[in-house]
Amino acid sequence: MHMQLGCPHCAQRAMPAVVKALTSPWQVRECRRCGCRIGVPWWGHGLSVLPMMLVLLLGLLTPSGWWLLIGIAAAFVAYFMLRLVAVPIVAREPDGQRRI
């Protein structure tokens, strides 16, 4: 399992893992090495939200509150792990320009 934290411009570590896990597609961040604008793609956000949606759907079908709480905890862990491992960091520079 490898966290994808590299900048698409300079290939250096662009941000801490916690910052990446909390970055949404609506946010643009700067690479802490080269200063280029970076972010996460829309499809990555959708992929990481799927476990939470599944748990909420199953919560409507199960009568036990304990299973729902366990499912929500597991979905949060899956959300952050998917954000760290499967979702790449993409360039957000206008027209694919580099700022170096």
Side-chain angles (χ1 to χ4, degrees), residues 3 5 14 20 25 27-28 32 52 69 71 81 91 94-95:
M3 288 189 279
L5 298 172
K20 182 187 176 212
Q27 294 173 312
V28 175
R32 66 181 184 176
M52 203 51 95
L69 289 176
M81 292 308 295
D95 301 324

Side-chain angles (χ1 to χ4, degrees), residues 34-66:
C34 68
C36 289
R37 295 164 30 120
I38 53 176
V40 295
W42 289 95
W43 66 262
H45 181 69
L47 173 72
S48 59
V49 172
L50 281 177
M52 203 51 95
M53 300 301 276
L54 180 63
V55 166
L56 292 176
L57 179 66
L58 291 175
L60 294 173
L61 302 175
T62 59
S64 175
W66 286 107

